[in-house]
Amino acid sequence: MSADLINAAERAAIQRLARALALPAFEPGWVWLAGAGPGDPGLITALGLHAVSRADVVLYDALVNKTLLELARPGAELIYAGKRAGKRSCKQSDISRTLVSLARKGKCVLRLKGGDPFVFGRGAEEALSLARAQVPFRIVPGVTAGIGGLAYAGIPATHRDTNHVVTFLTGHGADGKLPDLDWTSISRGSPTIVLYMARKYAGEIAAKLMAAGRDTDEAAAVISNASFPDQTVRITTLRELGAAAAESTAPAMLVVGENVKLHASLDWLGALAGKTLNPEPLSHTKISDAG
Ligand code: SAH
């Protein structure tokens, strides 16, 4: 990993920014559990950036954009702690133990996780281990893929003409199986459903939603590598969601709901690449509540 993506003056500028924003000092013996955002390195928060630039050790996940690691100070230790299929894998208990032991050695320890650390990312488990070990810690929220990833696909998580509720769910339980959820309540209660880790069971999930009354032609989307340069957005229907997910690459967010249609108007990344946006994507939508 090269340490010269930014020079000393630019590094000092990050410190000036931290001072201007009165950001807290990263004290030795502390663990900061920070979100890196979904992919685009620009989506890290100022606090996250400050933490990367000050840390002695950074333990990072597979989904963290590696460009961010190049902002670590020269000599900082970078430890891969990812758990993705097919790659060298770390046990959760080992990660928690490493965090505790590095903090006890008096290091400034940054645990950098994809998206937001407290959204489907085991950040809470790691924080609980720190609390149990009485290691002081700070949580630095991040932009979660279920919001920021959708925004990069031109799909707002809410719009008052389409949904007053949004549900975030994971398609992957602790045992690796589809969690046993109340699909009827989700189907009836949430016009928009945003799914993490749901590629594998997308067909099964779609079938459960349709069995609970959702329209087979309802709009759905699969967003792969959201906010990375190779982002792809597949617009489909609930009926075809399983097939679209099977064709997609990981990581992917799935979205079900009328607001997916707003992509036709709000695909700002597509517009940058020359696509013409549709000014009236919801012209056939029944608006139940003009709010
Ligand atoms: N804490 C993370 C989520 C971790 S779970 C967050 O807040 O975003 C991992 C899942 O997040 C992936 O399986 C995928 O469903 C989703 N995900 C994370 N980053 C993504 C990205 N850039 N594009 C698409 N999906 C992403």
Side-chain angles (χ1 to χ4, degrees):
M1 187 80 46
S2 84
D4 48 19
L5 181 76
I6 61 169
N7 62 32
E10 289 158 340
R11 221 167 271 289
I14 297 178
Q15 288 175 32
R16 277 201 301 281
L17 176 76
R19 267 200 306 279
L21 298 178
L23 301 183
F26 199 160
E27 303 282 0
W30 279 65
V31 177
W32 285 23
L33 222 83
D40 182 341
L43 294 179
I44 195 166
T45 63
L47 208 45
L49 183 65
H50 167 54
V52 176
S53 75
R54 303 301 289 179
D56 296 321
V57 191
V58 183
L59 279 95
Y60 63 96
D61 272 355
L63 291 176
V64 167
N65 190 321
K66 306 301 172 288
T67 302
L68 290 170
L69 302 176
E70 305 209 15
L71 304 179
R73 58 175 189 71
E77 193 182 346
L78 306 176
I79 303 175
Y80 175 68
K83 283 180 296 191
R84 307 210 70 200
K87 293 197 181 163
R88 195 174 68 85
S89 158
C90 292
K91 278 212 218 107
Q92 192 63 46
S93 53
D94 293 343
I95 297 171
S96 296
R97 247 198 308 276
T98 306
L99 293 174
V100 169
S101 105
L102 288 167
R104 286 188 175 151
K105 284 184 188 146
K107 307 274 187 197
C108 301
V109 186
L110 174 61
R111 175 69 174 114
L112 193 59
K113 300 174 77 75
D116 180 279
F118 275 3
V119 179
F120 300 132
R122 303 213 186 177
E125 288 166 52
E126 293 174 18
L128 284 168
S129 308
L130 297 170
R132 249 180 252 123
Q134 300 193 326
V135 168
F137 63 92
R138 170 181 285 272
I139 306 299
V140 180
V143 175
T144 187
I147 295 179
L150 267 63
Y152 268 52
I155 301 174
T158 73
H159 180 297
R160 63 182 188 162
D161 289 348
T162 60
N163 63 310
H164 296 109
V165 176
V166 56
T167 295
F168 296 99
L169 64 83
T170 174
H172 193 101
D175 56 2
K177 297 192 182 136
L178 181 61
D180 185 20
L181 303 177
D182 181 348
W183 294 101
T184 304
S185 298
I186 292 168
S187 169
R188 294 197 183 143
S190 186
T192 299
I193 307 166
V194 176
L195 304 101
Y196 294 73
M197 294 180 271
R199 274 173 73 241
K200 185 168 167 194
Y201 298 116
E204 209 175 310
I205 293 168
K208 286 179 188 293
L209 292 172
M210 291 184 290
R214 297 290 280 245
D215 188 345
T216 56
D217 289 326
E218 184 168 358
V222 181
I223 311 162
S224 287
N225 298 309
S227 84
F228 281 99
D230 55 351
Q231 166 175 304
T232 57
V233 184
R234 286 180 173 71
I235 301 297
T236 181
T237 59
L238 193 51
R239 190 191 311 108
E240 302 295 332
L241 184 60
E247 284 167 10
S248 71
T249 52
M253 291 301 309
L254 275 50
V255 192
V256 176
E258 191 71 13
N259 55 335
V260 166
K261 290 187 181 163
L262 291 161
H263 167 83
S265 290
L266 303 180
D267 179 17
W268 56 276
L269 269 174
L272 279 176
K275 175 174 155 182
T276 305
L277 299 181
N278 171 3
E280 292 298 339
L282 298 176
S283 52
H284 304 298
T285 302
K286 259 193 262 140
I287 299 172
S288 52
D289 173 0

